[in-house]
Amino acid sequence: MPRGVAHCHCPSSKAVAPALPSVEHAEVTSVLLPDLAPWRASVDFRRLWKSGLISNFGSFLTLVALPVQLKDLTESTAAVGAIGAVELLPLIVCGLYGGALADALDKRGLILWTEAGQGLLSAVLLLNALLPSPASWPLYAVAALSSALGAVQRPALDSLWPRIVAHDDMPAAASLNSLRWTVGGVAGPALAGVVVAYAGLGWAYAADVLTFAVSLAYIVRIAASPAAHEAAKPSLRAIAEGARYAWSRKELLGTYVVDLAAMSLAMPLAVLPFLADALDADWALGLMYASIPAGALLVSLTSGWASRVHRHGLMVVLAAAGWGLSIAAVGLTRQVWLVLLLLTVAGGFDMVSGIFRSAMWNQTIPDELRGRLAGIELLSYSVGPQLGQVRAGGLAAWTGLRTSIACGGLACAGAVGLLALCLPGLMTYDARTNAHAVRMRERRAEAAPAKA
């Protein structure tokens, strides 16, 4: 259990003054509820948070609609899994170069233009869906281009957060960012299942286009965030410099490879439409897609304890192993409600891992390298799911649906355990004593008076 849970104060069984239970209740509440310090302190944090919430909601609508449309057009697990394959190369190339761009250019400008591009791609999906005979190739083309734009945008986003949030508020900001993602992740797929089934794919894509327009209205109001004076110009040499720094930080390297193993071996999203068919529960497909974000949302809503945990690496490892075991159980059960429960548990574990990975990254990486390291981080948590789609779809076509899911989850748990043995620096990381975290805390403290 997280250390913060152990710090809760239980009400005394003895008679006490009336004020004491309310104080204890407030302490318990502060442990569980999200820490809102970043929200209160930074107007740009609030604007970026709202923008992400709105655009994520629409994106999750498309997350469900696109594989459903492709399944209807092809009736092939391999064809649906191939979405991950076409997204992979743009993600790798643009993620690394996008990190260099984020260090060298204005971060807000990158976020603005890539968000606009994503909106145009959603409009293409809408137009294709409205055709009398929709084609399948635009789905792959949009997936690849969207992957490229997202890979350019994400390092700029990830390197902007540390500039607008205080150093000690990073875990709280990570929890709030996770909450933003999970709200859209729960509401979007759940609504998409209903919209696709009763209104049609076009309505899901149309809603996605609208959310991008609203998101842009928030982004334009965020203050400019120019490159640091020490930042290198975008080049292969600059990308290599970021890679060398990441390689020198074995605890950071551990977060990358653990998450890559978890996602590439145990991500089940590509085969969920087929799992719903196997369970004779087409009505539950939207709920399946929403279950993983729902578990993440539950963790986010009760994430006050995260700020009290300092052994971030240990939490990453335990959570990744829990994700794998939960997904393995999904492949072994034949009850739809138990599948939904296990996917929810898996989502909770994934969110715990994400909170502490983000805290480690944001509290220890220098600002002049933040974009390039964010590009590497993007590969660790985005390439994995794309590989996972290919693995899940391909293995399901070869060995069967349930075997693909269960074996992937077990392989994930085993791989995470092996990586933990090979990376002791990850297991012993402590945010209070780590030299990089201490150095960044001191740098932020020195810069604070100058900003004031």
Side-chain angles (χ1 to χ4, degrees), residues 68-278:
V68 168
Q69 185 178 18
L70 198 55
K71 172 182 174 292
D72 292 342
L73 292 172
T74 67
E75 290 296 334
S76 167
T77 58
V80 176
I83 295 175
V86 301
E87 292 174 335
L88 188 56
L89 183 59
L91 185 63
I92 294 172
V93 175
C94 295
L96 290 173
Y97 194 68
L101 287 174
D103 280 336
L105 302 177
D106 177 70
K107 295 173 176 51
R108 192 203 67 159
L110 275 178
I111 296 168
L112 183 65
W113 287 109
T114 51
E115 189 81 353
Q118 295 273 28
L120 290 175
L121 291 177
S122 293
V124 171
L125 290 176
L126 172 60
L127 292 175
N128 182 61
L130 295 177
L131 293 175
S133 299
S136 59
W137 69 263
L139 305 185
Y140 291 109
V142 167
L145 291 172
S146 179
S147 177
L149 288 175
V152 172
Q153 183 187 76
R154 191 57 184 261
L157 278 170
D158 288 347
S159 57
L160 180 58
W161 295 115
R163 286 190 170 189
I164 60 178
V165 174
H167 180 85
D168 290 339
D169 288 341
M170 293 297 181
S175 297
L176 290 173
N177 286 335
S178 301
L179 177 62
R180 173 207 69 192
W181 178 84
T182 53
V183 168
V186 172
L191 180 60
V194 176
V195 171
V196 170
Y198 296 102
L201 293 161
W203 285 100
Y205 293 139
D208 193 15
V209 173
L210 179 61
T211 60
F212 276 115
V214 178
S215 172
L216 285 168
Y218 279 107
I219 295 174
V220 296
R221 299 173 63 195
I222 295 171
S225 183
H229 295 301
E230 304 88 349
K233 294 181 179 180
S235 65
L236 292 177
R237 178 177 295 182
I239 294 172
E241 180 185 2
R244 285 194 298 270
Y245 177 84
W247 182 259
S248 71
R249 295 280 309 282
K250 294 302 186 283
E251 72 278 19
L252 282 186
L253 188 65
T255 66
Y256 301 152
V257 296
V258 165
D259 190 54
L260 182 63
M263 295 296 102
S264 62
L265 294 172
M267 176 55 75
L269 295 185
V271 296
L272 289 185
F274 300 92
L275 182 59
D277 281 351

Side-chain angles (χ1 to χ4, degrees), residues 35 120 187 192 305 330 420:
D35 184 350
L120 290 175
W305 55 268
V330 168

Side-chain angles (χ1 to χ4, degrees), residues 191-430:
L191 180 60
V194 176
V195 171
V196 170
Y198 296 102
L201 293 161
W203 285 100
Y205 293 139
D208 193 15
V209 173
L210 179 61
T211 60
F212 276 115
V214 178
S215 172
L216 285 168
Y218 279 107
I219 295 174
V220 296
R221 299 173 63 195
I222 295 171
S225 183
H229 295 301
E230 304 88 349
K233 294 181 179 180
S235 65
L236 292 177
R237 178 177 295 182
I239 294 172
E241 180 185 2
R244 285 194 298 270
Y245 177 84
W247 182 259
S248 71
R249 295 280 309 282
K250 294 302 186 283
E251 72 278 19
L252 282 186
L253 188 65
T255 66
Y256 301 152
V257 296
V258 165
D259 190 54
L260 182 63
M263 295 296 102
S264 62
L265 294 172
M267 176 55 75
L269 295 185
V271 296
L272 289 185
F274 300 92
L275 182 59
D277 281 351
L279 294 170
D280 195 24
D282 290 344
W283 57 268
L285 177 59
L287 295 177
M288 288 182 184
Y289 277 108
S291 292
I292 291 177
L297 177 61
L298 290 174
V299 170
S300 298
L301 289 173
T302 57
S303 61
W305 55 268
S307 297
R308 294 168 168 80
V309 176
H310 307 289
R311 296 285 300 279
H312 298 167
L314 176 62
M315 293 301 296
V316 169
V317 168
L318 294 177
W323 158 269
L325 293 175
S326 301
I327 295 300
V330 168
L332 298 174
T333 186
R334 298 181 184 276
Q335 300 295 323
V336 64
W337 292 110
L338 187 54
V339 166
L340 295 173
L341 175 62
L342 289 168
L343 289 173
T344 302
V345 172
F349 279 122
D350 187 43
M351 180 52 61
V352 172
S353 174
I355 287 173
F356 291 108
R357 291 196 317 270
S358 179
M360 287 179 67
W361 298 339
N362 290 331
Q363 287 186 327
T364 65
I365 297 173
D367 185 64
E368 63 271 15
L369 287 166
R370 194 68 195 88
R372 280 164 284 174
L373 269 293
I376 296 173
E377 293 155 18
L378 172 71
L379 299 186
S380 77
Y381 59 70
S382 297
V383 169
Q386 310 313 321
L387 290 174
Q389 290 192 72
V390 178
R391 183 212 63 82
L395 192 60
W398 181 37
T399 65
L401 176 66
R402 297 185 183 280
T403 300
S404 172
I405 298 172
C407 289
L410 293 174
C412 164
V416 168
L418 182 61
L419 288 169
L421 292 175
C422 297
L423 295 164
L426 176 64
M427 298 294 288
T428 58
Y429 175 89
D430 191 315

